Amino acid sequence: MNPIDHNVASEEIEKFSALAHGWWDEHGEFRPLHQLNPHRLQWIRDHVDLQGKSVVDIGCGGGILSESMAAVGAKVTGIDLAEASLQVARLHALDAQLDIDYRLVSAERYAQEVPAQFDVVTCMEMLEHVPDPASILQASASLVRPGGWIFLSTLNRNAKAYLFAILGAEYVMRLLPKGTHDFAKFLQPSELAAMGRRCGLETADIAGLEFQPFSQQFRITQDPSVNYLMALRRPPA
Ligand code: SAH
């Protein structure tokens, strides 16, 4: 594999490829992503008006976030390294009559091909699945134009996150298949912010995403102790 495409764990791609048929099953394996999507979309829109903006969605999977951004007027490119997911994403976008450009390309390679082309970069629930998240941050910093936004989400690394995201979600509530997440790959907000700073990005906002077991709903909070969102900005030129 070309070194520019090194930052991928093949077992992760196989895991997501095996589940790809279920991306749009709102009651299936990806139910939590469907449940949290309206909240993360709203959080993005609280920071930037997506109408007419060019967006690259890194690790787009079946396009849950990509489609929702396209539906509110963004020009979306979705990239992922699982072809099976991209095929599902393309078919679903056709059905939904949304014009989204889905591509099988690594973030690092795409950043070399089209630097500083995007108003917005999104990369959600993906950093905890790659060997070198800092390299994704670097690619994101290259893809976004000066003054543009980067929106990330991932899982915090602490005892509570272990309890909720692994024991709770995978074993007790069965919200996610066992083995979905590897605790060692979770990232503390300070670590993510530091990675961003090393690429010249400023941290603009952090929020928590909390799952409420009784209502089976997510909500945005001020507490990033388990799932969280981070907004970063590339300073204007
Ligand atoms: N961002 C989507 C999907 C999250 S699931 C959402 O939040 O709805 C994680 C996705 O990351 C999967 O689609 C998987 O194929 C992708 N992925 C894992 N490693 C990757 C890598 N190195 N490069 C690009 N995509 C990757």
Side-chain angles (χ1 to χ4, degrees):
M1 189 183 278
N2 188 307
I4 197 171
D5 298 321
H6 74 287
N7 186 20
V8 58
S10 52
E11 66 277 14
E12 293 283 354
I13 297 304
E14 283 160 20
K15 191 165 74 187
F16 284 104
S17 298
L19 301 174
H21 62 276
W23 273 112
W24 289 94
D25 176 0
E26 292 189 17
H27 303 285
E29 317 268 12
F30 295 108
R31 178 181 163 98
L33 293 179
H34 286 280
Q35 289 171 318
L36 67 83
N37 195 60
H39 304 283
R40 64 189 180 180
L41 176 68
Q42 186 54 52
W43 193 75
I44 293 170
R45 298 175 78 194
D46 288 345
H47 294 86
V48 60
D49 177 8
L50 288 173
Q51 172 66 42
K53 297 289 193 311
S54 58
V55 181
V56 59
D57 186 20
I58 301 173
C60 61
I64 296 171
L65 178 64
S66 300
E67 281 202 9
S68 67
M69 294 190 292
V72 296
K75 291 174 283 178
V76 181
T77 303
I79 66 173
D80 203 288
L81 290 176
E83 178 61 24
S85 295
L86 291 170
Q87 282 174 5
V88 170
R90 288 185 193 111
L91 284 175
H92 198 273
L94 265 182
D95 271 349
Q97 299 190 321
L98 290 167
D99 188 13
I100 300 174
D101 183 10
Y102 285 114
R103 291 167 180 254
L104 183 75
V105 63
S106 69
E108 291 85 353
R109 177 179 294 276
Y110 203 48
Q112 279 205 348
E113 288 174 7
V114 287
Q117 293 293 299
F118 294 93
D119 299 312
V120 174
V121 175
T122 55
C123 180
M124 300 225 166
E125 311 304 318
M126 182 268 201
L127 291 170
E128 66 274 20
H129 300 286
V130 301
D132 182 4
S135 170
I136 301 291
L137 267 276
Q138 185 60 63
S140 303
S142 304
L143 284 161
V144 77
R145 65 164 174 76
W149 289 86
I150 298 174
F151 299 98
L152 309 172
S153 74
T154 191
L155 284 154
N156 204 338
R157 194 178 69 261
N158 55 43
K160 184 177 171 194
Y162 182 78
L163 212 67
F164 281 69
I166 300 208
L167 292 183
E170 294 185 17
Y171 289 85
V172 181
M173 312 262 311
R174 311 262 165 104
L175 292 171
L176 292 169
K178 287 178 189 144
T180 298
H181 287 124
D182 173 2
F183 181 67
K185 287 189 174 164
F186 294 5
L187 290 165
Q188 293 174 355
S190 58
E191 295 169 329
L192 201 51
M195 283 179 196
R197 269 196 304 281
R198 287 194 282 274
C199 314
L201 301 171
E202 294 161 359
T203 305
D205 200 5
I206 299 176
L209 253 179
E210 184 187 87
F211 183 70
Q212 301 170 297
F214 293 108
S215 61
Q216 295 273 307
Q217 297 271 340
F218 281 88
R219 68 183 184 107
I220 300 281
T221 70
Q222 305 279 352
D223 169 16
S225 58
V226 185
N227 292 79
Y228 66 95
L229 294 150
M230 186 177 286
L232 302 114
R233 283 201 92 167
R234 180 168 169 181

